[in-house]
Amino acid sequence: MPLALLILYTIFIGLVTLSPQQLDTGPGSFIAGLLDFLASHRLTAWIDYDILEKLANVGMFVPFGFLVSLQAGRRRWWLGWVTGIAFTCLIEGTQATLLSPTRFATISDLVTNSLGAGIGAVLALIAMIIWPPRRDDVPIDHVVR
């Protein structure tokens, strides 16, 4: 199951980050409405577009790092972080070269995406420590008769 989710989530990230156009941020868009909502509350008024984008980048890569680490297992949990860094390098490189007229590669995206993948990998490690794989109580007889 984690592999199927990982494949679907990787496709989702690819669609969001490698489409020729960025998400709509104009007046009346979901993002504009969210920023208006955040600005209307004292506790969240400090969140502007740049901060929201950075938080979204971190948040988008947490599940990726988590799912890769679950797939890799407890001994190689760090692959979630390393794979996330490699994936974001691929994304940013593609944006800088093939999508350069419409998309922009930034060091900030590289850092925030990598941070998200790292957080996801650590969360997966914690989950694998807390909930180790089940073992059957009945030993399996491996002798062929």
Side-chain angles (χ1 to χ4, degrees):
M1 183 67 151
L3 180 59
L5 288 174
L6 174 60
I7 291 168
L8 291 174
Y9 198 73
T10 302
I11 292 169
F12 166 74
I13 291 175
L15 291 173
V16 169
T17 60
L18 298 175
S19 63
Q21 299 297 321
Q22 291 185 342
L23 294 175
D24 183 17
T25 58
S29 69
F30 171 76
I31 295 172
L34 179 59
L35 288 168
D36 288 342
F37 174 79
L38 295 170
S40 69
H41 293 81
R42 258 189 21 222
L43 291 176
T44 57
W46 57 274
I47 300 175
D48 61 7
Y49 178 81
D50 289 334
I51 292 172
L52 183 63
E53 180 186 26
K54 286 173 179 49
L55 291 172
N57 284 347
V58 171
M60 182 169 54
F61 271 78
V62 169
F64 182 81
F66 186 87
L67 291 169
V68 171
S69 291
L70 281 184
Q71 191 63 36
R74 193 165 155 185
R75 290 181 189 217
R76 296 183 301 163
W77 66 272
W78 49 270
L79 284 173
W81 194 8
V82 172
T83 305
I85 293 169
F87 189 31
T88 195
C89 285
L90 176 69
I91 290 166
E92 296 303 310
T94 302
Q95 287 179 345
T97 56
L98 301 177
L99 302 173
S100 60
T102 57
R103 299 298 291 251
F104 304 98
T106 64
I107 297 296
S108 172
D109 287 354
L110 182 67
V111 170
T112 54
N113 294 350
S114 299
L115 177 62
I119 291 169
V122 169
L123 290 174
L125 174 63
I126 292 168
M128 288 184 282
I129 289 170
I130 292 173
W131 297 290
R134 283 189 357 206
R135 298 178 191 249
D136 292 334
D137 292 339
V138 180
I140 298 172
D141 185 5
H142 293 287
V143 177
V144 178
R145 297 174 198 227

